[in-house]
Amino acid sequence: MRKLSLVVTTLAFLAGVLAGFVANKWLEARPRNKYVEIRESGYRYVSPLLDCQNVGNYVGDELKPFKSKVEKFIKNDESKKWGDNISVYFRDLKNGPSFTIGRAEEFYPASLLKVPEMISVLKETDANPAILKKKILYNNRDLSSAQNTDVADKLILGKSYTVEELLRRMIIYSDNVSSLLLEDVVNPVYLKETYDDLGIPDPYYLEDQRGYMISAELYSSFFRILYNASYLSKQMSEKALEYLSETDYAKGLVAGVPPGVEVAHKFGLRKKEGIKQLHDCGIIYYPNHPYLLCVMTSGSSPEYLDNTVADVSRFIYQEIDRQHHGRS
């Protein structure tokens, strides 16, 4: 009788283990709950975030993880070819995944800081729409030394420009003089709030701004709030991304995508002590599947860095196209 009881207990235990194993496999195989973002349509560049809903066992056309592919490409192709230090942040803006390669790496942002400056101007515009029409006289000769040498349409000394004109020039041509003129106009409270609200250290309140560094993932927050229209009004968010889509820089991210694909982006270049840093961050408007990409690099040659950013952009675009081609 004792043997029979032992056999029954053993069989019950094995049955329980088997049932647990089967249940666990079923749970792993079933569709997981997913939060889907509900967005407002009708805009060209922004996609205002209205709500996030739990749709239960929802199965959608999700982008398959490909972080390992990008890591392998950077390690085996780009780093060996150019010897660069590369950091990449990617985010699928249509309910998709995100990943960071080189999360701990930080870089000097250089002209990338013009984006939060623009956001600050437009934040003040939301409160005071008339500010865009305000005219600023360019009469400070000392500012001419900051003028970018590669800007074809330079500001004219003694001429007045509206805030909106300076804003466009600052972004489209990455014009340093326009940026400096705007700094004298915009309430510094809005500039500080832009950083504080996102939890990003403010470079303008550091003792040594030249030592300010930021990661690709953290910097990308500026583009996310513009796309989601979650910080500025929808109209000002749309205006900001429209400016960024007209950026006069055809290398980097743009060089990695086919002609006709819109890219709202900003680049930054820093040359110091033989080390160059080149970054390009923005939104690539792949049809029905826009994504955010930020590539930050450092190396000995800016020409090589241009190619590096373009190569990474091209590789990711081709992978996106492979996943989504022929699907809405």
Side-chain angles (χ1 to χ4, degrees):
M1 192 69 179
R2 187 175 297 176
K3 289 183 178 180
L4 179 60
S5 178
L6 180 61
V7 170
V8 171
T9 301
T10 302
L11 289 175
F13 173 76
L14 293 175
V17 171
L18 180 61
F21 176 79
V22 171
N24 186 59
K25 287 298 182 182
W26 178 78
L27 286 172
E28 290 180 355
R30 73 173 183 168
R32 297 180 180 180
N33 287 353
K34 176 181 178 180
Y35 285 92
V36 171
E37 298 171 343
I38 309 301
R39 295 180 177 274
E40 181 179 352
S41 60
Y43 295 88
R44 182 172 181 176
Y45 297 105
V46 303
S47 186
L49 184 61
L50 300 178
D51 191 17
C52 290
Q53 294 184 0
N54 187 332
V55 294
N57 296 337
Y58 173 80
V59 179
D61 290 333
E62 290 191 75
L63 183 70
K64 297 177 182 178
F66 63 95
K67 176 181 178 181
S68 59
K69 291 183 180 181
V70 180
E71 285 181 313
K72 184 178 179 181
F73 172 75
I74 290 175
K75 180 179 179 181
N76 295 339
D77 293 80
E78 295 307 302
S79 294
K80 287 183 178 179
K81 181 166 43 174
W82 308 122
D84 298 329
N85 185 21
I86 306 169
S87 181
V88 175
Y89 176 77
F90 169 88
R91 186 178 188 89
D92 179 5
L93 293 173
K94 192 175 182 181
N95 300 317
S98 65
F99 63 78
T100 305
I101 296 171
R103 182 188 298 271
E105 298 290 340
E106 292 186 329
F107 300 82
Y108 296 102
S111 284
L112 292 183
L113 292 180
K114 290 183 172 76
V115 171
E117 183 179 351
M118 171 186 63
I119 292 173
S120 301
V121 175
L122 295 178
K123 186 70 171 177
E124 187 166 357
T125 303
D126 274 330
N128 178 21
I131 193 174
L132 290 182
K133 303 302 180 184
K134 182 177 180 179
K135 288 196 172 184
I136 309 300
L137 177 62
Y138 172 36
N139 62 351
N140 187 347
R141 292 183 180 275
D142 294 338
L143 295 183
S144 60
S145 61
Q147 181 68 68
N148 314 50
T149 57
D150 55 348
V151 174
D153 185 19
K154 297 180 174 62
L155 292 173
I156 301 174
L157 192 68
K159 183 177 178 180
S160 294
Y161 298 87
T162 65
V163 168
E164 184 162 22
E165 287 174 327
L166 294 174
L167 197 61
R168 292 185 73 259
R169 294 177 61 87
M170 179 182 72
I171 296 300
I172 295 173
Y173 304 121
S174 197
D175 183 41
N176 293 331
V177 177
S178 294
S179 174
L180 292 170
L181 289 174
L182 286 171
E183 285 182 11
D184 292 335
V185 175
V186 180
N187 189 331
V189 171
Y190 288 101
L191 187 58
K192 188 175 188 304
E193 282 183 352
T194 300
Y195 286 92
D196 290 347
D197 290 345
L198 292 177
I200 297 176
D202 184 347
Y204 299 98
Y205 284 79
L206 296 178
E207 291 184 6
D208 183 9
Q209 295 180 15
R210 295 172 299 178
Y212 182 78
M213 302 178 78
I214 194 169
S215 68
E217 180 175 344
L218 194 57
Y219 179 79
S220 295
S221 301
F222 295 118
F223 278 87
R224 288 177 61 188
I225 64 170
L226 289 177
Y227 183 76
N228 291 334
S230 56
Y231 189 69
L232 301 176
S233 67
K234 298 167 188 175
Q235 291 73 23
M236 291 301 106
S237 297
E238 181 84 354
K239 182 184 289 290
L241 287 174
E242 181 180 358
Y243 292 160
L244 289 162
S245 71
E246 298 173 9
T247 296
D248 186 21
Y249 181 69
K251 300 177 183 179
L253 296 183
V254 174
V257 304
V261 175
E262 283 197 283
V263 181
H265 67 121
K266 185 72 189 76
F267 79 99
L269 173 64
R270 185 178 190 268
K271 304 177 183 178
K272 188 175 182 181
E273 299 172 356
I275 299 298
K276 316 298 190 297
Q277 293 198 359
L278 177 71
H279 324 305
D280 202 0
C281 302
I283 298 170
I284 290 84
Y285 289 89
Y286 184 95
N288 298 311
H289 288 281
Y291 59 91
L292 171 55
L293 180 61
C294 187
V295 184
M296 294 188 170
T297 66
S298 66
S300 59
S301 171
E303 292 77 18
Y304 290 164
L305 299 182
D306 278 330
N307 293 334
T308 297
V309 176
D311 287 348
V312 173
S313 177
R314 185 177 301 107
F315 182 87
I316 288 180
Y317 184 91
Q318 290 173 349
E319 178 63 19
I320 296 291
D321 192 55
R322 187 184 70 80
Q323 294 286 341
H324 291 303
H325 186 66
R327 296 185 292 176
S328 61

